[in-house]
Amino acid sequence: MAVAVSVNGRITDGDHAVVSVFDNGFVFGEGVYEVLRTYGHQPFLYDEHIERLRHSAGMLGLPVPFTNDELLAQIRAVQAHAEGKEHYIRILLTRGVGEFSYDPASCPTPTVVIIVKPLAETPDSWYEAGTRVSLVSVTRNHPGSVNPRIKSNNLLNNALAMQEAIRKSSVEALMKNYRGELVECCQSNFFVVRDGAIHTAPLDAGLLAGITRAFVHTLAGELGIPSYERTLYEADLDTADETFTTNTTREIVPVVRIDDRVIGSGTPGPVTRRLIAAFRRHAAATSLHPAQA
């Protein structure tokens, strides 16, 4: 199978995977998800991703019906049916099937979906020449409404932001929060490099606690690159030496233009390049030393 899917333990190809129309993940958008990618067919930063899945589920009061080892065994079973040199893995956990009711008691059993498909390669030109993103008009969800810390299946806020960026011929959408601060992109976390140090918005600004975001802070420490969480504003783009995004499937992507604003020299900078190289060394080592179920 090019794409293999498990729905509550039943593995099929993508065309035959079925979830009930009465599932609250479909009816109300009540659910959470995680995306992982593999190196050497090994899910990268697996424990960190599943810890975040549990945190997201906890914020919805959604029970998680598996241990980390049980889920990893299920993922590997699905991987065995999927094609691809490397895999994209998407785990979805929903409230489950029940009545048209907001009462969690109406859905006694959560739904677990695991999708595995060939990993789509990011163009080499993105890393070599850099990318263009757009600062969009769509505001990131207020933490008091749908908190961005929840990696929710309801991605309408992200979809609207990305649609605006696509209309502007950009590969990502950079969003502000309700206070007008830069927070994150719709599919990535966002970093500014200035005077050899990296800066990214703090979690309390209202953004997802990115797994790659956290890993980049660890890499920066190993490389002796100062890294900070601090409030970022649009004016920071005018004084940035470099900018980049972080994302599970795309790793670290240099950003050299934000709309018509050229960042630094207009080419991927030395700090970003060092981080990319360090990230890939760690990823390669992971593929040689797989986690055990």
Side-chain angles (χ1 to χ4, degrees):
M1 306 176 193
V3 179
V5 182
S6 168
V7 179
N8 294 326
R10 180 174 182 268
I11 300 174
T12 67
D13 60 27
D15 290 338
H16 294 88
V18 176
V19 176
S20 169
V21 296
F22 296 105
D23 193 291
N24 273 25
F26 175 74
V27 176
F28 298 133
E30 270 197 285
V32 296
Y33 77 102
E34 279 293 325
V35 170
L36 299 89
R37 65 154 293 171
T38 65
Y39 295 91
H41 273 212
Q42 307 305 321
F44 189 55
L45 298 175
Y46 173 79
D47 288 338
E48 290 86 345
H49 277 283
I50 306 312
E51 180 181 350
R52 186 173 65 180
L53 180 72
R54 292 183 185 281
H55 181 265
S56 294
M59 293 181 75
L60 295 184
L62 179 60
V64 179
F66 46 71
T67 67
N68 286 19
D69 286 350
E70 287 170 344
L71 179 62
L72 184 57
Q74 291 178 45
I75 290 170
R76 286 180 168 158
V78 183
Q79 282 186 273
H81 292 272
E83 298 175 5
K85 180 180 177 181
E86 296 293 355
H87 287 151
Y88 168 103
I89 302 166
R90 194 179 190 98
I91 303 156
L92 301 100
L93 175 66
T94 79
R95 184 76 67 190
V97 177
E99 300 296 327
F100 291 148
S101 169
Y102 293 128
D103 182 356
S106 71
C107 299
T109 306
T111 296
V112 181
V113 177
I114 301 169
I115 302 170
V116 178
K117 65 178 186 176
L119 180 72
E121 296 294 333
T122 303
D124 289 341
S125 62
W126 287 23
Y127 305 103
E128 295 165 358
T131 59
R132 179 181 186 269
V133 308
S134 282
L135 184 58
V136 297
S137 62
V138 177
T139 302
R140 194 67 176 105
N141 285 337
H142 192 295
S145 57
V146 180
N147 195 323
R149 294 290 299 277
I150 303 170
K151 197 168 177 67
S152 165
N153 290 341
N154 186 333
L155 292 169
L156 187 57
N157 183 236
N158 309 62
L160 292 172
M162 192 63 215
Q163 288 163 18
E164 182 176 335
I166 290 170
R167 291 193 295 270
K168 296 179 177 180
S169 301
S170 292
V171 304
E172 253 289 20
L174 177 58
M175 290 186 282
K176 296 179 180 179
N177 65 11
Y178 66 100
R179 295 191 296 253
E181 303 160 0
L182 299 178
V183 282
E184 63 180 339
C185 295
C186 74
Q187 303 172 87
S188 316
N189 289 117
F190 181 75
F191 286 77
V192 167
V193 182
R194 184 182 296 107
D195 298 328
I198 64 174
H199 307 263
T200 193
L203 295 179
D204 62 13
L207 61 142
L208 183 69
I211 302 302
T212 307
R213 172 185 179 274
F215 190 58
V216 163
H217 280 298
T218 299
L219 291 177
E222 294 177 0
L223 296 172
I225 298 170
S227 65
Y228 305 99
E229 290 188 354
R230 71 173 187 84
T231 303
L232 297 175
Y233 298 97
E234 185 174 352
D236 287 301
L237 303 177
D238 295 322
T239 58
D241 300 318
E242 309 169 37
T243 55
F244 62 86
T245 60
T246 59
N247 164 288
T248 292
T249 58
R250 298 172 180 173
E251 304 170 344
I252 300 168
V253 177
V255 175
V256 298
R257 294 181 71 91
I258 299 176
D259 294 312
D260 295 327
R261 180 188 277 112
V262 177
I263 304 298
S265 66
T267 59
V271 172
T272 305
R273 290 185 181 279
R274 287 182 67 198
L275 289 167
I276 291 172
F279 186 102
R280 291 178 175 174
R281 286 195 298 271
H282 277 266
T286 296
S287 70
L288 297 174
H289 303 284
Q292 298 299 313

